[in-house]
Amino acid sequence: MTLEQTNKKIFEMITGAQRILLLTDERIDGDTTGSTLAMYHWLNGLGKDVRVFSPKPWTESYLTLPGSENVIFDSESSKQPADIVMIFDCADGKYLRELSFTTPSALDPSAQPPLIVFDHHATNPHYGTINQIVVEASSTGEVVWQFFKHNRVTITKDMATCLLTAICTDTTLFTNLATNHICMEAAAELGLAGAKMQDIVRIFYMNRSVDALRLWGTALERLQELPQRLIYTCLTQKDISDMRVQEDQVEGISNFLIGMIMDAQIVCVLREKTDGSVKGSLRTLTGNVAQIAQRLGGGGHIKAAGFTIEKARLQEQDGVWSVRWDSGEIRTVERLLQS
């Protein structure tokens, strides 16, 4: 089916449904939150029984989005029967294995509702019943905007604010390689619908604390260059906790570095997380970092991807950074990224 035909089919399914569950990705960012809440506002306006579940808590910036007060963070509360489940900007759907969904069907109470996936990650394995995955799109927000356009949906101010947040954050304010003419057209229309670009910039890009900037300074001090212009830096959980910085204040370093370092082929930012894992963010202007991310259990786009190494920490010795697993295995960052 074409993009428009798939959007029409999804529209028909929604029209015939009453109980709808919306899911964000477990990697909380402006795209997954904005896309999900834009759909929430439309469905709520139709009088649907709509719930929004997020597997991870949201930091303060995302809680400014209209409709965020309706998000459920308790997985038990998300298990009420649903006619349709929809998920936004989730590249793999792995966390869904920990959840169970049922339909309200009296004939088959154990039946699974159809899963509709809206996404733009090239590594998405098409795990849904219906997959609206547009890898050329700048963001999942752009994919949802096209869904509304194809079905002649009137976009309200709240929907516009959520969608513009999704597009702006995933394109780094229209500066990275994901930016395209379609998202620029969408931004113009969303602005006319009432979304305020100035508010998005202020909330998501002009909210760095002095401590957050000091943390960014630490990341810059630790920059290392490997062969073939692979640049990396590391941040430990102690670095982050000592500066009393929230997770969302760390986001954006990899985008900043790939745009600032002359002739960098690949940029990688490694940071420890509170759950005992190491998260890697990869960016490139000319290569394919999705291949690296997939090899390490992650995914994403050709130019922007990421991975998470479970049960591991970062360690430094004589200026060389390594990843140390709880099992005792140690691998230098160079070996990790270039093996």
Side-chain angles (χ1 to χ4, degrees), residues 70-321:
N70 298 299
V71 178
I72 301 167
F73 298 100
D74 178 5
S75 61
E76 290 301 316
S77 300
S78 73
K79 294 180 181 179
Q80 299 175 30
D83 299 309
I84 295 175
V85 178
M86 304 170 72
I87 190 165
F88 301 82
D89 199 46
C90 182
D92 50 38
K94 290 180 181 178
Y95 88 86
L96 299 186
R97 300 168 190 166
E98 302 172 5
L99 303 175
S100 60
F101 310 113
T102 59
T103 69
S105 170
L107 297 176
D108 186 2
S110 64
Q112 292 288 307
L115 175 64
I116 299 172
V117 177
F118 282 93
D119 194 22
H120 69 131
H121 291 94
T123 57
N124 192 302
H126 292 71
Y127 57 86
T129 310
I130 295 182
N131 300 282
Q132 187 60 297
I133 300 165
V134 186
V135 297
E136 301 84 6
S138 66
S139 56
T140 300
E142 180 186 313
V143 179
V144 174
W145 175 78
Q146 289 184 314
F147 167 81
F148 290 145
K149 290 282 288 183
H150 286 156
N151 291 293
R152 301 182 183 277
V153 171
T154 299
I155 296 178
T156 65
K157 179 180 178 180
D158 284 346
M159 292 165 64
T161 298
C162 293
L163 288 177
L164 189 58
T165 297
I167 292 171
C168 284
T169 53
D170 245 34
T171 61
T172 318
L173 295 178
F174 310 102
T175 61
N176 65 32
L177 292 178
T179 306
N180 57 44
H181 71 282
I182 298 176
C183 75
M184 299 297 286
E185 177 187 348
E189 290 196 8
L190 296 171
L192 289 172
K196 300 294 186 184
M197 176 77 74
Q198 302 92 324
D199 291 343
I200 295 170
V201 172
R202 176 178 53 81
I203 293 169
F204 291 94
Y205 292 94
M206 299 178 67
N207 64 346
R208 302 288 188 246
S209 65
V210 171
D211 284 338
L213 293 177
R214 289 194 180 108
L215 185 65
W216 279 48
T218 299
L220 294 176
E221 284 183 1
R222 291 180 182 162
L223 283 173
Q224 304 260 357
E225 181 179 351
L226 300 176
Q228 300 178 333
R229 292 294 288 165
L230 195 161
I231 312 295
Y232 80 88
T233 189
C234 297
L235 288 172
T236 67
Q237 191 57 44
K238 184 176 186 302
D239 296 326
I240 297 170
S241 61
D242 283 353
M243 293 295 181
R244 303 181 299 279
V245 172
Q246 290 188 324
E247 292 285 339
D248 62 336
Q249 295 281 304
V250 185
E251 300 294 342
I253 296 178
S254 54
N255 287 331
F256 172 79
L257 292 175
I258 196 63
M260 295 297 292
I261 299 176
M262 184 180 299
D263 299 327
Q265 296 300 305
I266 294 174
V267 164
C268 178
V269 176
L270 294 166
R271 62 182 170 96
E272 295 177 342
K273 303 200 69 179
T274 55
D275 62 3
S277 65
V278 173
K279 178 179 178 180
S281 296
L282 295 159
R283 298 293 185 270
T284 183
L285 294 177
T286 58
N288 183 348
V289 291
Q291 293 178 342
I292 299 174
Q294 283 184 301
R295 177 168 51 78
L296 295 170
H301 312 289
I302 292 174
K303 305 301 181 186
F307 59 89
T308 299
I309 302 172
E310 304 291 346
K311 298 180 180 180
R313 307 310 282 170
L314 295 169
Q315 70 175 34
E316 182 266 339
Q317 184 174 5
D318 299 326
V320 176
W321 284 88

